[in-house]
Amino acid sequence: MAKTTAAKAAPAAEGGNLPFIYREYPRETLLGALRKMHLIRKFEEGAEESYMRGLIHGTMHLSIGQEASAMGICLPLTNDDQITSTHRGHGHCIAKGADVKRMFAEFFGKTTGYCAGRGGSMHIADVTTGNLGANGIVGGGLPIAVGAALTAKRLKTGKVAVCFFGDGANNEGAFHEALNMASVWKLPVVFVCENNKYGMSTSTERSTAVANIADRAAAYSMPGVIVDGNVLSDVAEASHAAVERARRGEGPSLIECKTYRYRGHSKSDRNRYRTKDEIDDWMSNRDPIERYEAQLVEFGIAKADEIEAIRASVAEEIAAGIEFAKASPAPEIADLANYVYTEQA
Amino acid sequence: MDAAVRELSYSQAIQEAMAIAMEADERVILMGEDIGVYGGAFQVTGDLIDRFGPDRVMDTPISELGGAGVAVGAAVTGLRPIFEFQFSDFAALAMEQIVNQAAKMRYMLGGAVSVPVVMRFPGGSGTGAAAQHSQSLEAWLGHVPGLKVIQPATPHDVKGMLLAAVADPDPVMIFEHKLLYKMKGPVPEGHYTVPIGKAEVRREGRDLTVVATSLMVHKALEAAETLAAEGMDVEVIDLRTIRPMDRETVIESVKKTSRLMCVYEGVKTLGVGAELSAMVAESEAFDYLDAPIVRLGGAETPIPYNPELEKAAVPQVPGIVAAARDLIRGAR
Ligand SMILES: Cc1ncc(C[n+]2csc(CCOP(=O)(O)OP(=O)(O)O)c2C)c(N)n1
Ligand SMILES: [Mg+2]
């Protein structure tokens, strides 16, 4: 979300007791964030349905239930800041500014897709809005984000790199190596662990020796912050602080967003490792979109009919995106080997 | 032995082999990501956790390097771990332990230890999983002395070769094509082994030797049927093991047919076909060749997501038929 520090618009509401984002951002930014959260959810529902109808092949990992984490982290970022994403990356991609048309086109394997039909869901990226890509390898993005931050520091671009990863990824060796280097070299990177309690079927209790992933920050001499990942304002506040710290040259931070995925891990999940009660509890009592909407209404920032209008416009954009994808051309077989190497003049 | 023979799927055959090995030997344990209650990403371990408990069907954290290393350490010191990689692509994260440790430990220690670890790698394309979940990396490991690398192509063989692998004192790497998991075939009950290092002639023929691996064995057999209808008689060899390679079976066949075609899914260049070709070219079978050797392998690209591109990236039956026809008719 482009929020320039130079010409700061008036915040949506005054009052010391209001949560962070209402004091920090103008109304249109807040409504834009709501729209994107809806866009993420409807995009994934649309993708899921298209998959069921056999229009999309392969597999996909849905982030439904985790929208506030993607959106809140990206809220303080500019278009120039960069992220690395994960296999559960549709939300990150949209929150960072990608066009759902081209995302659908990618899922449908079309040339108009962000990866020209070569990548699909698991490699979705939009480099033009600073998304260096989802990753099929758990933990694969961690050192890459550190590399992006190294570039930012060396070239003095002022950019910040944000690295999304899951709770499961914190047990990969790459996590240790990446956080250590980022800290030793004081790089402008923010590590964002989206802790949805499980890496596939394995709960954090069974996989991870510390109670909170953020506890591990101490081992790398960086701040470790835990937030309710389903409260947009809390996530954005933590992100804002970490991004500002990075921009000031003070080094990396680790943010842990406690959240939950409603759907199975992927398309082959028998859901044997968690209870229906647990899922129901998260869905009915902690839904990030419902909670954000309730606040917007409570603080007088949006009325019910305005929220309804946002939903309607999102539904239209999704429908148009799917149509665009269907109508787009498939790649030519003769072009199979395009993009393996950089074509040189 | 005339044990009852049933139809089992490839994945059921693996599961049965693991259960037999665990039943017979307390030292055998299974390790891997989500192999417990989840049953494994491809449901190969299935409900074995109910039978053997979480201490012997161990979920590891998402830690391929560490997990593989723990399996190596356990193997050196007296256990018989069967370690499942969720996808063969993740071997890349564990190469240190596989290549620098497991493969070399016995040699470096002058024979003082053995490393009886089995590692299972679900590989191959055809599922729309794109570039990081579709590779055929067996040739990487086939390049490393100290390892044994097998690619069983049928339910019968995967059970017998897995049991041979568990009994083997050295590290055995099993590459299982994901599209084979649901394939059914006759599997004898009880314990039996299929030797590592021995190829199998799946179809006898006079005009051409096709040496294929894994899923490509089935594609080659299908192609051979089409060619038979056109009057061409193709011999199909299922290589089964890429390290150590069965020279004798391949060379004897080429001496008979005078033509060689290699069909494999891994990237064509510097792969299994290169080794087969060189092996024949270096042997007495060279003098018998009536035509240049032909290799059909994976395209020189990562595996693409788009389904049509994905198919085009690996050998398919029509391509095998056309190439074999040209080779036999002398168009090459
Ligand atoms: C190196 C590697 N190991 C295993 C996998 C298979 N895999 C994909 S996602 C996943 C779970 C990841 O859990 P987490 O990091 O918590 O992310 P979440 O799926 O919960 O968003 C696993 C095991 C993989 N893609 N890459
Ligand atoms: Mg998780």
Side-chain angles (χ1 to χ4, degrees), chain A residues 55-59 106-110 116-123 134-138 168-169 171-173 177 199-202 206-208 265-266 268-273 330-338 340-341, chain B residues 32-43 46-47 49-50 54 58-66 86 89-90 93 126-133 135 299-314:
Chain A
L55 296 167
I56 294 177
H57 85 146
T59 187
E106 184 56 36
F107 287 27
F108 280 63
K110 302 299 181 71
R118 273 38 171 210
S121 158
M122 215 165 7
H123 305 295
N135 211 309
I137 302 301
V138 169
N171 294 312
E172 289 282 16
E177 300 183 25
M200 217 157 145
S201 68
T202 309
R206 295 202 304 126
S207 71
T208 304
H265 165 73
S266 69
S268 65
D269 188 342
R270 299 186 292 175
N271 259 329
R272 291 223 175 146
Y273 51 89
E332 299 288 337
I333 301 291
D335 293 338
L336 172 64
N338 284 12
V340 176
Y341 295 101
Chain B
E33 292 163 16
D34 306 285
I35 66 168
V37 289
Y38 197 95
F42 298 99
Q43 295 302 320
D47 295 330
I49 189 165
D50 296 339
M58 286 177 66
D59 274 336
T60 68
I62 308 174
S63 304
E64 289 78 11
L65 173 65
Q86 208 163 68
D89 311 66
F90 311 154
L93 286 86
T127 64
Q132 294 173 333
H133 288 72
Q135 299 172 89
E300 307 294 318
T301 74
I303 298 292
Y305 165 70
N306 173 283
E308 296 309 316
L309 291 185
E310 184 182 17
K311 277 184 211 130
V314 301

Side-chain angles (χ1 to χ4, degrees), chain B:
Chain B
M1 186 175 84
D2 51 356
V5 174
R6 307 104 341 127
E7 290 278 306
L8 288 189
S9 70
Y10 191 91
S11 56
Q12 286 169 328
I14 298 171
Q15 190 182 114
E16 186 167 280
M18 294 192 299
I20 289 171
M22 292 174 85
E23 227 33 286
D25 187 346
E26 276 286 324
R27 297 173 304 168
V28 177
I29 58 165
L30 310 184
M31 296 176 67
E33 292 163 16
D34 306 285
I35 66 168
V37 289
Y38 197 95
F42 298 99
Q43 295 302 320
V44 174
T45 40
D47 295 330
L48 286 183
I49 189 165
D50 296 339
R51 230 168 114 187
F52 297 101
D55 291 342
R56 293 184 74 197
V57 182
M58 286 177 66
D59 274 336
T60 68
I62 308 174
S63 304
E64 289 78 11
L65 173 65
V70 170
V72 170
V76 178
T77 49
L79 294 181
R80 295 258 166 174
I82 303 176
F83 186 85
E84 173 179 292
F85 281 85
Q86 208 163 68
F87 285 79
S88 65
D89 311 66
F90 311 154
L93 286 86
M95 284 306 252
E96 201 292 296
Q97 284 296 327
I98 300 170
V99 174
N100 292 328
Q101 309 299 338
K104 298 173 173 56
M105 200 176 281
R106 176 173 173 79
Y107 187 81
M108 294 186 300
L109 273 57
V113 296
S114 292
V115 188
V117 67
V118 176
M119 297 190 183
R120 299 183 33 247
F121 302 88
S125 69
T127 64
Q132 294 173 333
H133 288 72
S134 303
Q135 299 172 89
S136 298
L137 298 174
E138 51 279 353
W140 280 12
L141 298 188
H143 192 66
V144 183
L147 303 179
K148 297 180 181 177
V149 183
I150 63 178
Q151 290 187 277
T154 65
H156 173 277
D157 282 4
V158 80
K159 178 175 169 186
M161 294 183 91
L162 180 50
L163 285 168
V166 173
D168 199 289
D170 293 317
V172 181
M173 312 286 119
I174 309 185
F175 284 81
E176 304 161 0
H177 199 293
K178 299 189 283 273
L179 296 188
L180 290 175
Y181 281 136
K182 296 219 162 87
M183 181 176 285
K184 294 204 159 183
V187 178
E189 277 178 355
H191 186 279
Y192 66 92
T193 58
V194 171
I196 292 168
K198 191 84 194 74
E200 173 87 349
V201 178
R202 294 274 173 214
R203 185 188 201 284
E204 294 197 15
R206 284 171 284 111
D207 298 332
L208 163 68
T209 297
V210 173
V211 182
T213 55
S214 191
L215 182 65
M216 290 300 153
V217 172
H218 302 279
K219 296 197 172 178
L221 286 168
E222 207 182 316
E225 287 306 309
T226 306
L227 291 159
E230 297 177 17
M232 284 168 270
D233 192 16
V234 175
E235 178 143 310
V236 177
I237 295 177
D238 175 354
L239 192 58
R240 300 204 293 200
T241 300
I242 67 167
R243 172 176 284 274
M245 228 178 241
D246 180 353
R247 288 180 84 246
E248 201 181 310
T249 303
V250 174
I251 287 165
E252 283 313 308
S253 175
V254 173
K255 280 161 72 177
K256 178 174 72 171
T257 65
S258 302
R259 291 183 181 85
L260 172 64
M261 186 161 99
C262 314
V263 188
Y264 51 105
E265 185 165 325
V267 170
K268 178 178 164 182
T269 308
L270 292 161
V272 171
E275 187 53 40
L276 283 164
S277 305
M279 190 174 88
V280 167
E282 284 174 343
S283 78
E284 73 267 24
F286 179 73
D287 286 333
Y288 292 76
L289 285 174
D290 285 344
I293 296 167
V294 171
R295 286 178 292 158
L296 297 185
E300 307 294 318
T301 74
I303 298 292
Y305 165 70
N306 173 283
E308 296 309 316
L309 291 185
E310 184 182 17
K311 277 184 211 130
V314 301
Q316 301 293 347
V317 175
I320 300 171
V321 169
R325 194 190 281 131
D326 285 355
L327 184 51
I328 294 171
R329 293 206 178 133
R332 296 246 181 187

Side-chain angles (χ1 to χ4, degrees), chain A residues 148-220:
Chain A
L150 177 67
T151 300
K153 183 167 181 174
R154 271 289 123 74
L155 302 184
K156 299 189 169 50
T157 61
K159 294 182 191 181
V160 170
V162 171
C163 173
F164 287 101
F165 61 100
D167 48 283
N170 101 94
N171 294 312
E172 289 282 16
F175 170 87
H176 169 68
E177 300 183 25
L179 271 73
N180 185 59
M181 283 186 280
S183 183
V184 166
W185 296 329
K186 271 198 184 300
L187 296 178
V189 53
V190 181
F191 298 100
V192 179
C193 180
E194 299 188 292
N195 182 351
N196 56 12
K197 297 178 62 122
Y198 301 93
M200 217 157 145
S201 68
T202 309
S203 66
T204 50
E205 288 79 20
R206 295 202 304 126
S207 71
T208 304
V210 286
N212 304 295
I213 314 294
D215 296 348
R216 294 205 154 150
Y220 309 102

